[in-house]
Amino acid sequence: MCRTGSEKSISTSNIQKSLFYFCFLLIIIFAGILRIRYLFDFTGLSYDELYVWKIASNSNIIDLFKELINTDYHPPLHFMFIHYWMNLFSSSDFSLRCSSLLFSFAIVIVFYFIGKEVKDKTIGIIFLLLATFYPFSVYFSQNVRFYILSDLIIALIFLQLYRLLKSEKIKDIVILILLNLLLLYTQTM
């Protein structure tokens, strides 16, 4: 049986889609392996991580803010997130480090979308691959500090800025402003 030209192109298109999804999934799995390997390090929390735990374990947000005002100069967003994370899950070392792992995975995905916005899915895969090996993200994915959250917000800012430059819509401006406010409440400048 002889195939027509359109049947061959449909078959080639399906193969390309399958190859794309296979590469995407393989890179995501590898990114996970790189980030999870130290998650089961049972040496306990470092001094800085214990400090985050201490501030976030206040009984309510008002007490958290009072302690931050009296003892710290860091913005409150990460502490608030960890506070609610501990209330939802637990305050174990493993649970706290999972919060950073979640942000690190999100960074990898955001990098894919940045590459896709810049050109196409192929560039997205290249950006995804670069984000997989990004040392900052790999290291701080196991650390209960605000660095990985601020890194995620910065990646989202880049994505939103690129979208704004392409569209110039009011919605994109508002989202960019909100992301910058989130960064201000996460990272000490």
PDB file of all heavy atoms in Angstrom, residues 134-152:
ATOM      1  N   TYR A 134      21.340  24.356  36.197  1.00  0.00           N
ATOM      2  CA  TYR A 134      21.623  25.642  36.824  1.00  0.00           C
ATOM      3  C   TYR A 134      22.036  25.401  38.278  1.00  0.00           C
ATOM      4  O   TYR A 134      21.222  25.007  39.111  1.00  0.00           O
ATOM      5  CB  TYR A 134      20.374  26.512  36.716  1.00  0.00           C
ATOM      6  CG  TYR A 134      20.452  27.877  37.318  1.00  0.00           C
ATOM      7  CD1 TYR A 134      21.569  28.695  37.145  1.00  0.00           C
ATOM      8  CD2 TYR A 134      19.395  28.389  38.054  1.00  0.00           C
ATOM      9  CE1 TYR A 134      21.623  29.954  37.688  1.00  0.00           C
ATOM     10  CE2 TYR A 134      19.431  29.649  38.596  1.00  0.00           C
ATOM     11  CZ  TYR A 134      20.552  30.431  38.414  1.00  0.00           C
ATOM     12  OH  TYR A 134      20.599  31.677  38.951  1.00  0.00           O
ATOM     13  N   PRO A 135      23.313  25.616  38.597  1.00  0.00           N
ATOM     14  CA  PRO A 135      23.837  25.222  39.923  1.00  0.00           C
ATOM     15  C   PRO A 135      23.114  25.888  41.094  1.00  0.00           C
ATOM     16  O   PRO A 135      22.884  25.261  42.124  1.00  0.00           O
ATOM     17  CB  PRO A 135      25.305  25.650  39.890  1.00  0.00           C
ATOM     18  CG  PRO A 135      25.624  25.932  38.485  1.00  0.00           C
ATOM     19  CD  PRO A 135      24.358  26.204  37.761  1.00  0.00           C
ATOM     20  N   PHE A 136      22.769  27.153  40.955  1.00  0.00           N
ATOM     21  CA  PHE A 136      22.070  27.872  42.021  1.00  0.00           C
ATOM     22  C   PHE A 136      20.768  27.162  42.368  1.00  0.00           C
ATOM     23  O   PHE A 136      20.453  26.933  43.532  1.00  0.00           O
ATOM     24  CB  PHE A 136      21.808  29.308  41.557  1.00  0.00           C
ATOM     25  CG  PHE A 136      21.239  30.204  42.610  1.00  0.00           C
ATOM     26  CD1 PHE A 136      22.066  30.923  43.447  1.00  0.00           C
ATOM     27  CD2 PHE A 136      19.870  30.345  42.763  1.00  0.00           C
ATOM     28  CE1 PHE A 136      21.545  31.761  44.420  1.00  0.00           C
ATOM     29  CE2 PHE A 136      19.337  31.167  43.725  1.00  0.00           C
ATOM     30  CZ  PHE A 136      20.182  31.876  44.558  1.00  0.00           C
ATOM     31  N   SER A 137      20.016  26.810  41.344  1.00  0.00           N
ATOM     32  CA  SER A 137      18.726  26.155  41.541  1.00  0.00           C
ATOM     33  C   SER A 137      18.889  24.761  42.132  1.00  0.00           C
ATOM     34  O   SER A 137      18.117  24.353  42.994  1.00  0.00           O
ATOM     35  CB  SER A 137      17.974  26.088  40.214  1.00  0.00           C
ATOM     36  OG  SER A 137      16.741  25.457  40.369  1.00  0.00           O
ATOM     37  N   VAL A 138      19.896  24.040  41.669  1.00  0.00           N
ATOM     38  CA  VAL A 138      20.125  22.686  42.190  1.00  0.00           C
ATOM     39  C   VAL A 138      20.520  22.750  43.664  1.00  0.00           C
ATOM     40  O   VAL A 138      19.970  22.040  44.499  1.00  0.00           O
ATOM     41  CB  VAL A 138      21.196  21.942  41.367  1.00  0.00           C
ATOM     42  CG1 VAL A 138      21.575  20.623  42.018  1.00  0.00           C
ATOM     43  CG2 VAL A 138      20.718  21.713  39.937  1.00  0.00           C
ATOM     44  N   TYR A 139      21.455  23.629  43.995  1.00  0.00           N
ATOM     45  CA  TYR A 139      21.936  23.717  45.374  1.00  0.00           C
ATOM     46  C   TYR A 139      20.834  24.177  46.332  1.00  0.00           C
ATOM     47  O   TYR A 139      20.614  23.576  47.383  1.00  0.00           O
ATOM     48  CB  TYR A 139      23.136  24.665  45.464  1.00  0.00           C
ATOM     49  CG  TYR A 139      23.637  24.845  46.872  1.00  0.00           C
ATOM     50  CD1 TYR A 139      24.372  23.840  47.491  1.00  0.00           C
ATOM     51  CD2 TYR A 139      23.342  25.995  47.595  1.00  0.00           C
ATOM     52  CE1 TYR A 139      24.815  23.979  48.797  1.00  0.00           C
ATOM     53  CE2 TYR A 139      23.777  26.151  48.899  1.00  0.00           C
ATOM     54  CZ  TYR A 139      24.520  25.135  49.496  1.00  0.00           C
ATOM     55  OH  TYR A 139      24.941  25.286  50.790  1.00  0.00           O
ATOM     56  N   PHE A 140      20.147  25.263  45.975  1.00  0.00           N
ATOM     57  CA  PHE A 140      19.167  25.833  46.897  1.00  0.00           C
ATOM     58  C   PHE A 140      17.819  25.127  46.852  1.00  0.00           C
ATOM     59  O   PHE A 140      16.922  25.489  47.603  1.00  0.00           O
ATOM     60  CB  PHE A 140      19.016  27.331  46.664  1.00  0.00           C
ATOM     61  CG  PHE A 140      20.166  28.113  47.219  1.00  0.00           C
ATOM     62  CD1 PHE A 140      21.101  28.691  46.384  1.00  0.00           C
ATOM     63  CD2 PHE A 140      20.340  28.222  48.586  1.00  0.00           C
ATOM     64  CE1 PHE A 140      22.172  29.387  46.903  1.00  0.00           C
ATOM     65  CE2 PHE A 140      21.406  28.913  49.110  1.00  0.00           C
ATOM     66  CZ  PHE A 140      22.329  29.495  48.271  1.00  0.00           C
ATOM     67  N   SER A 141      17.686  24.100  46.018  1.00  0.00           N
ATOM     68  CA  SER A 141      16.444  23.323  46.036  1.00  0.00           C
ATOM     69  C   SER A 141      16.355  22.468  47.293  1.00  0.00           C
ATOM     70  O   SER A 141      15.293  21.935  47.608  1.00  0.00           O
ATOM     71  CB  SER A 141      16.343  22.443  44.792  1.00  0.00           C
ATOM     72  OG  SER A 141      17.351  21.457  44.789  1.00  0.00           O
ATOM     73  N   GLN A 142      17.454  22.339  48.028  1.00  0.00           N
ATOM     74  CA  GLN A 142      17.456  21.564  49.266  1.00  0.00           C
ATOM     75  C   GLN A 142      17.692  22.439  50.486  1.00  0.00           C
ATOM     76  O   GLN A 142      17.995  21.953  51.559  1.00  0.00           O
ATOM     77  CB  GLN A 142      18.565  20.501  49.211  1.00  0.00           C
ATOM     78  CG  GLN A 142      18.376  19.478  48.147  1.00  0.00           C
ATOM     79  CD  GLN A 142      19.368  19.636  47.022  1.00  0.00           C
ATOM     80  OE1 GLN A 142      20.470  20.098  47.215  1.00  0.00           O
ATOM     81  NE2 GLN A 142      18.986  19.234  45.845  1.00  0.00           N
ATOM     82  N   ASN A 143      17.546  23.735  50.320  1.00  0.00           N
ATOM     83  CA  ASN A 143      17.851  24.673  51.386  1.00  0.00           C
ATOM     84  C   ASN A 143      16.603  25.480  51.718  1.00  0.00           C
ATOM     85  O   ASN A 143      15.983  26.046  50.830  1.00  0.00           O
ATOM     86  CB  ASN A 143      18.985  25.590  50.909  1.00  0.00           C
ATOM     87  CG  ASN A 143      19.635  26.354  52.008  1.00  0.00           C
ATOM     88  OD1 ASN A 143      18.953  26.979  52.801  1.00  0.00           O
ATOM     89  ND2 ASN A 143      20.941  26.329  52.037  1.00  0.00           N
ATOM     90  N   VAL A 144      16.251  25.553  52.974  1.00  0.00           N
ATOM     91  CA  VAL A 144      15.041  26.258  53.391  1.00  0.00           C
ATOM     92  C   VAL A 144      15.372  27.735  53.595  1.00  0.00           C
ATOM     93  O   VAL A 144      15.381  28.235  54.720  1.00  0.00           O
ATOM     94  CB  VAL A 144      14.453  25.651  54.690  1.00  0.00           C
ATOM     95  CG1 VAL A 144      13.092  26.265  54.993  1.00  0.00           C
ATOM     96  CG2 VAL A 144      14.366  24.157  54.600  1.00  0.00           C
ATOM     97  N   ARG A 145      15.683  28.397  52.526  1.00  0.00           N
ATOM     98  CA  ARG A 145      15.954  29.838  52.547  1.00  0.00           C
ATOM     99  C   ARG A 145      15.168  30.488  51.419  1.00  0.00           C
ATOM    100  O   ARG A 145      14.612  29.808  50.568  1.00  0.00           O
ATOM    101  CB  ARG A 145      17.451  30.121  52.386  1.00  0.00           C
ATOM    102  CG  ARG A 145      18.297  29.596  53.520  1.00  0.00           C
ATOM    103  CD  ARG A 145      18.141  30.373  54.793  1.00  0.00           C
ATOM    104  NE  ARG A 145      18.721  31.683  54.636  1.00  0.00           N
ATOM    105  CZ  ARG A 145      18.306  32.764  55.284  1.00  0.00           C
ATOM    106  NH1 ARG A 145      17.310  32.694  56.115  1.00  0.00           N
ATOM    107  NH2 ARG A 145      18.884  33.920  55.092  1.00  0.00           N
ATOM    108  N   PHE A 146      15.154  31.797  51.388  1.00  0.00           N
ATOM    109  CA  PHE A 146      14.333  32.524  50.427  1.00  0.00           C
ATOM    110  C   PHE A 146      14.963  32.603  49.041  1.00  0.00           C
ATOM    111  O   PHE A 146      14.313  33.043  48.090  1.00  0.00           O
ATOM    112  CB  PHE A 146      14.042  33.943  50.926  1.00  0.00           C
ATOM    113  CG  PHE A 146      15.281  34.777  51.112  1.00  0.00           C
ATOM    114  CD1 PHE A 146      15.828  35.487  50.067  1.00  0.00           C
ATOM    115  CD2 PHE A 146      15.884  34.845  52.357  1.00  0.00           C
ATOM    116  CE1 PHE A 146      16.971  36.251  50.245  1.00  0.00           C
ATOM    117  CE2 PHE A 146      17.022  35.600  52.550  1.00  0.00           C
ATOM    118  CZ  PHE A 146      17.575  36.315  51.485  1.00  0.00           C
ATOM    119  N   TYR A 147      16.195  32.145  48.874  1.00  0.00           N
ATOM    120  CA  TYR A 147      16.913  32.323  47.603  1.00  0.00           C
ATOM    121  C   TYR A 147      16.185  31.684  46.425  1.00  0.00           C
ATOM    122  O   TYR A 147      16.092  32.273  45.353  1.00  0.00           O
ATOM    123  CB  TYR A 147      18.322  31.748  47.694  1.00  0.00           C
ATOM    124  CG  TYR A 147      19.128  32.286  48.846  1.00  0.00           C
ATOM    125  CD1 TYR A 147      19.547  31.458  49.872  1.00  0.00           C
ATOM    126  CD2 TYR A 147      19.442  33.635  48.923  1.00  0.00           C
ATOM    127  CE1 TYR A 147      20.277  31.954  50.938  1.00  0.00           C
ATOM    128  CE2 TYR A 147      20.166  34.150  49.985  1.00  0.00           C
ATOM    129  CZ  TYR A 147      20.585  33.297  50.988  1.00  0.00           C
ATOM    130  OH  TYR A 147      21.297  33.787  52.034  1.00  0.00           O
ATOM    131  N   ILE A 148      15.678  30.500  46.597  1.00  0.00           N
ATOM    132  CA  ILE A 148      15.061  29.788  45.482  1.00  0.00           C
ATOM    133  C   ILE A 148      13.718  30.421  45.120  1.00  0.00           C
ATOM    134  O   ILE A 148      13.353  30.478  43.943  1.00  0.00           O
ATOM    135  CB  ILE A 148      14.949  28.270  45.770  1.00  0.00           C
ATOM    136  CG1 ILE A 148      14.759  27.482  44.484  1.00  0.00           C
ATOM    137  CG2 ILE A 148      13.862  27.968  46.745  1.00  0.00           C
ATOM    138  CD1 ILE A 148      15.980  27.375  43.657  1.00  0.00           C
ATOM    139  N   LEU A 149      12.991  30.930  46.108  1.00  0.00           N
ATOM    140  CA  LEU A 149      11.743  31.636  45.818  1.00  0.00           C
ATOM    141  C   LEU A 149      12.024  32.918  45.048  1.00  0.00           C
ATOM    142  O   LEU A 149      11.341  33.227  44.069  1.00  0.00           O
ATOM    143  CB  LEU A 149      10.971  31.930  47.107  1.00  0.00           C
ATOM    144  CG  LEU A 149       9.697  32.768  46.967  1.00  0.00           C
ATOM    145  CD1 LEU A 149       8.698  32.088  46.031  1.00  0.00           C
ATOM    146  CD2 LEU A 149       9.074  33.014  48.334  1.00  0.00           C
ATOM    147  N   SER A 150      13.020  33.666  45.463  1.00  0.00           N
ATOM    148  CA  SER A 150      13.352  34.895  44.732  1.00  0.00           C
ATOM    149  C   SER A 150      13.845  34.576  43.327  1.00  0.00           C
ATOM    150  O   SER A 150      13.533  35.293  42.371  1.00  0.00           O
ATOM    151  CB  SER A 150      14.377  35.734  45.505  1.00  0.00           C
ATOM    152  OG  SER A 150      15.563  35.033  45.704  1.00  0.00           O
ATOM    153  N   ASP A 151      14.563  33.485  43.166  1.00  0.00           N
ATOM    154  CA  ASP A 151      15.017  33.063  41.843  1.00  0.00           C
ATOM    155  C   ASP A 151      13.822  32.727  40.942  1.00  0.00           C
ATOM    156  O   ASP A 151      13.804  33.080  39.757  1.00  0.00           O
ATOM    157  CB  ASP A 151      15.947  31.855  41.981  1.00  0.00           C
ATOM    158  CG  ASP A 151      16.881  31.701  40.808  1.00  0.00           C
ATOM    159  OD1 ASP A 151      17.248  32.715  40.199  1.00  0.00           O
ATOM    160  OD2 ASP A 151      17.242  30.550  40.509  1.00  0.00           O
ATOM    161  N   LEU A 152      12.832  32.058  41.492  1.00  0.00           N
ATOM    162  CA  LEU A 152      11.626  31.740  40.730  1.00  0.00           C
ATOM    163  C   LEU A 152      10.897  33.022  40.314  1.00  0.00           C
ATOM    164  O   LEU A 152      10.482  33.166  39.163  1.00  0.00           O
ATOM    165  CB  LEU A 152      10.692  30.853  41.552  1.00  0.00           C
ATOM    166  CG  LEU A 152       9.303  30.605  40.957  1.00  0.00           C
ATOM    167  CD1 LEU A 152       9.400  29.891  39.622  1.00  0.00           C
ATOM    168  CD2 LEU A 152       8.447  29.822  41.935  1.00  0.00           C
TER     169      LEU A 152
END
